[in-house]
Amino acid sequence: MKLRVRINRLTSRVEVPGGDATLQELSDLIKQTLLSSHGLSVSTEFSLSLNGSELLSDSGQTLSSCGVVSGDLICVLLPPQPPPVATATPETTTGVQQAADGTACQQPSSSSDGGPAALMEPLQTCGEQEAAAAAAAVWEPMLCSEAEDGQAPLSLELLYHSARVSSPDEAVMVAVHLLMLETGFTPPQGSELKPEEMPAGWRSAAGVCRLQYSHPLCGSSRISVVAVSMGLLLVINVTLKVTETVDTVRKLQLEPSGYVTDRWTGGSAAAAFRKLKKLSQSFKDQLAYPLIATARHAMALPMAFGLSVLPPELLLRVLRLLDVRSVVRLSAVSRHFNAAAADSMLWRHLYRRDFTDGSRSRDTDWKELYKMAYKSRSERRRAARHLFLPPFPRRDIISPVPRPLFPPLPGIIGGEYDQRPHLPHGLLPRPRYDPIGPIADPAGRPPVLRRPPTGGQAADVRRGFI
């Protein structure tokens, strides 16, 4: 059984061997392994408690009979120590004051001859001891968004062990219930639940998980969460019922194997879960916060979070971190953002940041000045680009290149006459191998093109004389 033991606000992890270990065995294990590491002797008397107030007195009782399960936090209560007594001797110039936790800090004496530096050395020694004690403390996350791999909030540990999950899907739903509680959702009124208990009837025999919530920012609206396993995915459907006629349904698909390890059964929540930070971000951004915004919008209530509810000073701080394109785009979202983006001091900051020219009077229109400087810089960059890059002619690669009406004269047999036999005779000039042209008419009339007979070309009678 794996347990967590807290001594003087420092938490350690121990593993008790055996299935039915007793309180005496746990006490002996603490004496042997933990007391010396916390600066305590083995003979120190202490008591054990689950909640820090009620003692577990019967040492022969087993841990399971006391209600202790794997992953629980055991508090070690030490007897009260007497108040510290400061002593000083004439031979020494400094005293040692015993602290309540057993640590010693050297205190300066009035008879010290070392000056201010000698007075600061004891104070630095105390500060170093406190820093070392703080560094030795084990930091535990309070929210799922703060947990790294191998860590889990105490609230998730309690929910996980009280739910007694039997599948990775149920383990994810336990984390979903905690995320809903972290966002401000509460179970319906009338169901008295402890923080470490899951709602009654949250899972059914068919493998369907159902949860009901309400939210103080959503008025009388009701939120229903239904999770159904579909193969390797867990589909979470969230229904928001604002009035009798307004219903909104949102869906989120999760892969349980990405958030639950293979040690999900029989171990602690820190060993069972992984990537809790990613799960918290995905669930809250896609389901929890959009549900609140949708409910308030349907009930005609003002927004509860986002940029629109920030005070003007904080909104200007956000705008100062953006580039000018983002500022202009944000100004087109609503009148509220348009008024915030038109602030003169904002454009003064943007102008000085982007152009490093602050020699202007206070009554300058900084927005118009930024426009002029931005256009001038764009023109200079465009001119420099055309100056260093040679102009390339634009070619039309889509439409075909037009061929000339009269191509060059072919000089070989097999030219245009053979490649294009469908062209009418006489359209192209005669080839060079036929040096004799048509007979010129003395009257200057153009030659008459005779249609060749069907089946061949017209014969030239002059070829017989050559």
Side-chain angles (χ1 to χ4, degrees):
M1 181 182 297
K2 297 181 180 180
L3 299 174
R4 295 177 300 159
V5 179
R6 176 168 295 177
I7 305 176
N8 288 334
R9 298 183 180 181
L10 300 181
T11 304
S12 306
R13 300 180 184 273
V14 297
E15 184 173 357
V16 183
D20 296 333
T22 61
L23 290 175
Q24 185 62 38
E25 295 178 357
L26 178 60
S27 300
D28 296 340
L29 181 61
I30 293 175
K31 288 182 180 181
Q32 298 172 5
T33 59
L34 297 181
L35 291 183
S36 59
S37 61
H38 288 76
L40 301 175
S41 63
V42 182
S43 60
T44 304
E45 298 293 336
F46 62 88
S47 303
L48 301 180
S49 174
L50 275 174
N51 53 10
S53 59
E54 298 180 0
L55 302 181
L56 302 176
S57 57
D58 190 359
S59 60
Q61 193 176 7
T62 60
L63 296 178
S64 57
S65 60
C66 296
V68 179
V69 296
S70 180
D72 279 351
L73 178 65
I74 305 298
C75 298
V76 177
L77 304 181
L78 300 174
Q81 298 181 359
V85 179
T87 59
T89 59
E91 291 82 2
T92 60
T93 58
T94 58
V96 177
Q97 180 183 3
Q98 299 293 334
D101 55 355
T103 59
C105 294
Q106 187 177 5
Q107 302 295 333
S109 174
S110 58
S111 61
S112 177
D113 299 331
L119 294 177
M120 290 299 296
E121 289 180 358
L123 299 180
Q124 294 176 357
T125 304
C126 295
E128 292 176 357
Q129 292 177 357
E130 294 177 358
V138 180
W139 181 84
E140 296 183 356
M142 296 181 60
L143 303 174
C144 292
S145 58
E146 302 172 348
E148 301 291 342
D149 288 345
Q151 294 179 343
L154 178 60
S155 54
L156 183 59
E157 288 277 0
L158 299 176
L159 279 175
Y160 179 73
H161 289 290
S162 64
R164 302 187 182 277
V165 299
S166 59
S167 66
D169 296 341
E170 294 181 358
V172 172
M173 288 306 299
V174 171
V176 165
H177 175 66
L178 178 61
L179 294 175
M180 294 291 285
L181 297 180
E182 289 181 358
T183 320
F185 292 88
T186 58
Q189 296 180 358
S191 56
E192 297 182 358
L193 285 177
K194 297 181 179 179
E196 64 274 7
E197 293 180 355
M198 291 291 292
W202 66 279
R203 57 185 168 186
S204 62
V208 180
C209 300
R210 300 177 183 273
L211 297 170
Q212 300 287 335
Y213 300 97
S214 62
H215 201 282
L217 296 178
C218 300
S220 59
S221 57
R222 292 291 179 265
I223 296 94
S224 175
V225 180
V226 180
V228 182
S229 177
M230 302 185 65
L232 299 177
L233 296 178
L234 179 66
V235 182
I236 302 176
N237 297 306
V238 181
T239 304
L240 172 65
K241 191 174 186 60
V242 181
T243 60
E244 296 297 333
T245 58
V246 180
D247 291 339
T248 303
V249 179
R250 289 183 174 272
K251 181 173 66 175
L252 177 62
Q253 296 181 359
L254 298 176
E255 189 173 354
S257 60
Y259 303 102
V260 181
T261 64
D262 53 356
R263 301 185 298 274
W264 56 270
T265 175
S268 63
F273 289 95
R274 61 185 174 188
K275 298 182 180 180
L276 281 175
K277 183 182 298 184
K278 181 180 178 181
L279 177 62
S280 174
Q281 180 180 0
S282 301
F283 184 82
K284 291 182 179 179
D285 291 347
Q286 299 184 35
L287 287 183
Y289 292 129
L291 283 176
I292 301 175
T294 303
R296 294 185 66 85
H297 178 72
M299 301 175 65
L301 296 175
M303 297 296 296
F305 46 81
L307 284 177
S308 58
V309 299
L310 288 179
E313 55 177 352
L314 297 182
L315 183 58
L316 286 178
R317 286 179 177 268
V318 174
L319 295 180
R320 288 176 61 179
L321 303 176
L322 302 178
D323 58 296
V324 66
R325 291 180 179 268
S326 302
V327 173
V328 173
R329 291 173 181 173
L330 185 62
S331 64
V333 173
S334 63
R335 294 182 180 179
H336 176 68
F337 291 140
N338 190 5
D343 187 83
S344 178
M345 293 297 100
L346 171 64
W347 287 101
R348 177 173 177 264
H349 167 77
L350 296 178
Y351 180 81
R352 290 186 172 184
R353 183 193 66 184
D354 297 344
F355 299 102
T356 63
D357 182 14
S359 58
R360 301 285 177 176
S361 60
R362 294 182 176 272
D363 55 351
T364 305
D365 192 348
W366 295 98
K367 187 175 182 179
E368 292 297 330
L369 185 62
Y370 192 100
K371 289 182 181 179
M372 296 172 55
Y374 186 84
K375 290 181 180 180
S376 177
R377 185 176 63 181
S378 301
E379 292 176 358
R380 289 196 304 268
R381 291 179 177 178
R382 191 180 303 109
R385 190 184 306 112
H386 287 288
L387 179 62
F388 291 101
L389 295 179
F392 293 96
R394 295 183 178 180
R395 297 180 57 185
D396 189 3
I397 61 175
I398 299 178
S399 59
V401 179
R403 298 182 62 85
L405 183 60
F406 296 99
L409 295 176
I412 59 174
I413 299 177
E416 291 290 338
Y417 283 95
D418 295 335
Q419 294 180 6
R420 306 193 179 200
H422 59 278
L423 293 177
H425 180 72
L427 179 62
L428 301 177
R430 301 183 67 84
R432 295 178 183 178
Y433 57 79
D434 191 2
I436 302 178
I439 302 175
D441 191 2
R445 292 175 296 183
V448 179
L449 297 178
R450 298 180 180 180
R451 184 179 298 276
T454 305
Q457 296 183 354
D460 194 351
V461 294
R462 294 174 298 173
R463 291 183 180 275
F465 299 96
I466 299 176

